[in-house]
Amino acid sequence: MTVTIAVPKEAASGENRVAMVPKVAEKLAKLGVEVRIQKGAGEGSRIPDEGYADPIKVVGRAGDVYNADVVLAVNAPDPKNLAKMKKGSILVSFVQAHQNPEAVKALNEAGVTCFAMELVPRITRAQSMDALSSQASAAGYKAALMAANSLERFLPMLTTAAGTIRPAKVLVIGAGVAGLQAIATAKRLGAKVEAYDVRTDTKEQVESLGADFLVAEGVKAEAEGGYARELTDEEKAKQQEMLAKHVGQADAVITTAAVPGRPAPKIISKDMVAKMKSGSVIVDLGAAGGGNCELTKPGETVKEGSVTILGPTNVPAELAEHASEMYAQNLFNFLSLILVEEEAPEGEDKPKGPQPRKLAIDWDDEVLAKSVLTHDGEIKNEAAKEALQG
């Protein structure tokens, strides 16, 4: 029996991404599976229905989507649609269980096996499936452009007939994927860039992009063997004092600190904002988790005195075309773990050409075992279980 894979139109407000783009859907179809795309699913990413060519099927009814063997989405569908899924079917999407308990409940009640893309382990073998990183890359790039657009200043140094304009200072807090992309983009725009991260082993990456890495004088976070150690209260105070100084000197601050399953850490205090330069800007990529700045309002742009604070909650959706392309490829690579070739009947030769595929989950596979959220009516991820029970 042919495996059916379906992609719904995203329902969340402001969500322009789609889980499957035509060129990746074509690769899926060549595996011998049936691919269904809900009508209008690609509109936000500028993909018309006609962009999904035969044999990909564009379907109008939600029932033709949610009765598939596998549903691929950017965000978990609403509970009413999850209830339409077949028992034993599979959902692959971002879920953020701690923020979406009703979806988790619906998945359990429907007996759906859900693989949450935010749970894919960050190991070498799973790099091509790491949707958190691909979407963070888009967010970091866009954050630098948002900062530049909100500043009423040039970013690069300019020498003009009216004199020389000094380059703007951009401070990036957090040197993960989003932070490194923000650093690289701000640097390409000509700004003087500084970066801070509690993990001082990111110093080399930061400096390779042309930014200055900030460390409090006399504070060394590494212990013997290269591991990080807990800082003393005195060392933490020194770091906070150093950071406050550089926040106050920056024209734009981009914060990227996020902890999956937990509120975003508060890094920039109200007092720090009060001491920032007139006309400066904060772009808070931690807004979806409550914000890295005490004054951030998720989903809003606010003014605190003369400082502008942006709290975007879904930045990748503002780069929907390329963010969707990357996400669709992440999903394709993930599906390769559960779509396996059917074996030819005993005594028969394997036919030439693409082999039919079947769904098979190897629970000994580390990627699958760590990324599963629900299976057979149970929450399988311990962190999600604790967050929902707490």
Side-chain angles (χ1 to χ4, degrees):
M1 197 168 174
T2 303
V3 173
T4 53
I5 297 178
V7 177
K9 180 178 172 62
E10 296 294 321
S13 176
E15 182 56 82
N16 296 319
R17 291 171 292 175
V18 62
M20 191 53 54
V21 298
K23 67 179 183 181
V24 182
E26 288 167 14
K27 291 200 296 182
L28 259 183
K30 288 178 181 176
L31 297 180
V33 303
E34 180 182 306
V35 182
R36 304 171 185 169
I37 307 289
Q38 188 170 13
K39 187 176 176 60
E43 286 176 355
S45 299
R46 307 293 188 269
I47 303 171
D49 291 337
E50 302 77 48
Y52 296 97
D54 189 66
I56 301 161
K57 296 181 179 180
V58 177
V59 297
R61 296 188 312 141
D64 291 330
V65 174
Y66 294 104
N67 68 358
D69 299 312
V70 181
V71 174
L72 306 177
V74 178
N75 307 294
D78 65 61
K80 288 182 180 178
N81 283 324
L82 290 174
K84 297 173 185 175
M85 293 184 67
K86 298 185 299 185
K87 184 176 182 180
S89 61
I90 295 171
L91 170 70
V92 188
S93 74
F94 284 112
V95 181
Q96 308 297 352
H98 63 293
Q99 296 175 346
N100 209 354
E102 291 304 314
V104 178
K105 181 181 177 183
L107 287 165
N108 276 339
E109 290 178 350
V112 172
T113 296
C114 173
F115 293 102
M117 291 304 284
E118 71 270 16
L119 299 179
V120 171
R122 286 185 159 176
I123 57 177
T124 302
R125 180 169 155 264
Q127 280 182 344
S128 65
M129 311 166 201
D130 188 354
L132 277 180
S133 290
S134 71
Q135 302 307 291
S137 182
Y141 168 81
K142 188 67 174 181
L145 301 184
M146 293 167 78
N149 191 55
S150 299
L151 273 175
E152 297 178 5
R153 303 166 191 164
F154 291 115
L155 253 65
M157 181 177 75
L158 292 180
T159 302
T160 73
T164 299
I165 295 173
R166 297 171 65 85
K169 284 187 178 180
V170 175
L171 169 60
V172 178
I173 298 177
V177 175
L180 292 172
Q181 191 61 250
I183 291 166
T185 305
K187 191 67 182 176
R188 284 194 293 266
L189 291 171
K192 177 175 173 52
V193 185
E194 298 176 325
Y196 169 77
D197 196 297
V198 292
R199 303 163 301 161
T200 54
D201 58 353
T202 60
K203 180 175 186 288
E204 186 176 337
Q205 291 172 290
V206 166
E207 291 179 342
S208 72
L209 295 173
D212 296 326
F213 188 79
L214 303 179
V215 181
E217 188 176 348
V219 176
K220 182 175 172 60
E222 283 86 9
E224 188 176 343
Y227 294 98
R229 64 174 176 82
E230 181 71 21
L231 298 181
T232 65
D233 289 343
E234 183 181 351
E235 288 172 327
K236 288 178 183 176
K238 282 184 178 180
Q239 279 202 333
Q240 198 68 6
E241 184 181 345
M242 175 276 296
L243 190 58
K245 174 185 172 184
H246 287 272
V247 167
Q249 294 171 345
D251 296 285
V253 178
I254 300 170
T255 68
T256 69
V259 182
R262 298 181 188 176
K266 299 299 181 190
I267 297 171
I268 299 179
S269 66
K270 185 175 181 179
D271 289 342
M272 287 185 187
V273 175
K275 294 174 183 176
M276 291 180 73
K277 293 195 296 187
S278 177
S280 53
V281 171
I282 297 172
V283 179
D284 191 342
L285 290 186
N292 298 138
C293 174
E294 286 182 348
L295 300 171
T296 295
K297 291 187 178 179
E300 298 182 29
T301 296
V302 298
K303 285 270 192 179
E304 181 67 23
S306 63
V307 177
T308 302
I309 305 169
L310 285 72
T313 54
N314 188 359
V315 178
E318 298 189 32
L319 286 169
E321 182 180 338
H322 283 155
S324 296
E325 283 183 17
M326 293 189 291
Y327 183 65
Q329 189 60 50
N330 293 145
L331 290 178
F332 179 85
N333 295 332
F334 186 89
L335 287 172
S336 69
L337 301 179
I338 59 175
L339 277 176
V340 300
E341 289 187 1
E342 290 204 31
E343 296 179 2
E346 191 174 344
E348 293 185 19
D349 293 331
K350 184 181 288 188
K352 293 180 180 179
Q355 305 301 308
R357 302 279 171 146
K358 65 177 182 179
L359 289 170
I361 301 174
D362 177 7
W363 292 116
D364 290 328
D365 186 313
E366 181 183 7
V367 178
L368 297 177
K370 288 188 175 179
S371 58
V372 66
L373 175 63
T374 63
H375 175 66
D376 201 21
E378 293 182 31
I379 300 175
K380 292 296 186 180
N381 180 268
E382 290 301 322
K385 190 183 292 185
E386 288 176 16
L388 292 172
Q389 289 176 345

